[in-house]
Amino acid sequence: MNKKALITGITGQDGSYLAELLLSKGYKVYGLRRRTSVPILENIEYIKNEIEFIEGDLLDQGSLINAVKKSNPDEVYNLAAQSFVATSWDQPVLTGQATGMGVTNMLEAVRIVKPEARFYQASSSEMFGKVVETPQKETTPFYPRSPYGVAKVYGHWITVNYRESYNMFACSGILFNHESPRRGVEFVTRKVTDAVARIKLGLQSELRMGNLDAKRDWGFAGDYVKAMWLMLQQETPEDYVISTGETHTVEELVEIAFSHVGLNWSDYVVIDQKFVRPAEVDLLLGDCSKAKNKLGWELEVGFEQLVKMMVDSDLNRLK
């Protein structure tokens, strides 16, 4: 009997890679989709006919109960959120509702309809924020530095509470930054690779950036969704840090992207205070040894390979 999975946030970067992975494993995949005036299916255009969509919203409890009833899933992956840190300062209440309370709504729907389903929550390295130790691991205390980070901490702990209180198979992946050609253009990696492609093709003259010294642990989203799946195949539900264990500055990202198309980044990059966060997260570096040892999870795409892949993708798209 084929397994069934319900994915929230299926049209996003992670949702599309996860759907692809689960379909390749013979799953019947259901995707929760918010109604928009124009359907946003760019990331899953090539597999949309293999997915069964269910209309729903993380802020509408009834629609989530209906989605779980309709899909009757073995596994639920909660990837939907207001997921952009900068926007969380402009829309802190919405971020709290969708990224925080939305997790409770989803867990409650699973608890009411199908408590034996396995539940995955997308936690974030932004929960560590102003880090109290480096590298960050599963036991590192959280110190979020944005409304998004705060909401993710709530989502993380409510998942732990449902696991411990209702004996549900519920776990969180604390994912560090993970990127791909499907990343939204408002995120710094994609902002850079899209601009590099445009500058190379003569469509743009400069790239305005914020803090080039910020350090991040960047991996490939296609690798990270494999870890999500592995977490739900274990005997017991546990939380895992998923990262590369390497840190790179935004300046390194910019330099690799520009040099890949034969340009010198310093000729095009302009520092703009508008892009500096109210409270900066200076250094994120994950210790993923638990995931490697317990899940047998491995990275396949390195940082430089990832940046070049994204630049090439943007060049092809814009050509």
Side-chain angles (χ1 to χ4, degrees), residues 13-14 17 42-43 177-201 209 217-224 250 252-254 256-261 301-319:
Q13 168 188 257
D14 294 8
Y17 280 107
E42 188 185 345
N43 286 332
N177 295 65
H178 47 290
E179 316 299 321
S180 75
R182 300 178 198 171
R183 188 48 130 170
V185 82
E186 69 272 23
F187 289 84
V188 69
T189 45
R190 185 72 199 293
K191 173 183 170 177
V192 169
T193 62
D194 178 70
V196 165
R198 287 175 186 279
I199 289 167
K200 181 65 178 176
L201 297 172
M209 295 290 288
D217 182 325
W218 276 299
F220 172 51
D223 287 340
Y224 284 37
V250 176
E252 279 178 78
L253 161 71
V254 168
I256 291 167
F258 274 98
S259 65
H260 184 52
V261 296
V301 178
F303 178 65
E304 195 164 323
Q305 187 185 348
L306 170 65
V307 178
K308 290 175 178 177
M309 174 205 300
M310 291 174 69
V311 172
D312 289 339
S313 171
D314 280 322
L315 278 170
N316 288 335
R317 183 178 53 85
L318 291 163
K319 275 175 182 166

Side-chain angles (χ1 to χ4, degrees), residues 97-169:
Q97 289 168 337
T99 308
M101 283 305 298
V103 186
T104 312
N105 291 341
M106 198 67 230
L107 279 162
E108 192 62 2
V110 173
R111 185 186 72 81
I112 291 166
V113 180
K114 188 146 187 216
E116 68 275 21
R118 297 188 164 204
F119 182 90
Y120 171 84
Q121 165 59 13
S123 286
S124 165
S125 59
E126 289 287 333
M127 300 188 306
F128 296 122
K130 189 175 180 180
V131 300
V132 297
E133 68 175 353
T134 299
Q136 294 88 53
K137 47 187 185 284
E138 291 79 8
T139 53
T140 303
F142 301 134
Y143 193 147
R145 297 271 279 170
S146 65
Y148 170 76
V150 173
K152 278 290 185 187
V153 170
Y154 175 89
H156 182 86
W157 280 116
I158 199 69
T159 304
V160 172
N161 274 262
Y162 269 67
R163 176 168 76 216
E164 294 177 351
S165 305
Y166 299 118
N167 200 27
M168 287 170 66
F169 192 110

Side-chain angles (χ1 to χ4, degrees), residues 206-261:
E206 64 178 24
L207 167 60
R208 303 188 85 82
M209 295 290 288
N211 179 15
L212 295 184
D213 298 324
K215 292 177 179 172
R216 291 290 181 277
D217 182 325
W218 276 299
F220 172 51
D223 287 340
Y224 284 37
V225 298
K226 291 174 192 163
M228 299 176 186
W229 177 77
L230 284 167
M231 284 178 218
L232 295 197
Q233 312 316 308
Q234 304 307 302
E235 279 186 25
T236 52
E238 294 181 47
D239 304 324
Y240 294 86
V241 162
I242 305 299
S243 66
T244 68
E246 289 179 13
T247 187
H248 298 275
T249 62
V250 176
E251 187 176 311
E252 279 178 78
L253 161 71
V254 168
E255 188 180 358
I256 291 167
F258 274 98
S259 65
H260 184 52
V261 296

Side-chain angles (χ1 to χ4, degrees), residues 287-305:
D287 174 357
C288 58
S289 50
K290 179 182 174 184
K292 287 185 169 177
N293 297 334
K294 279 200 166 184
L295 303 176
W297 177 69
E298 289 298 334
L299 285 157
E300 289 174 33
V301 178
F303 178 65
E304 195 164 323
Q305 187 185 348

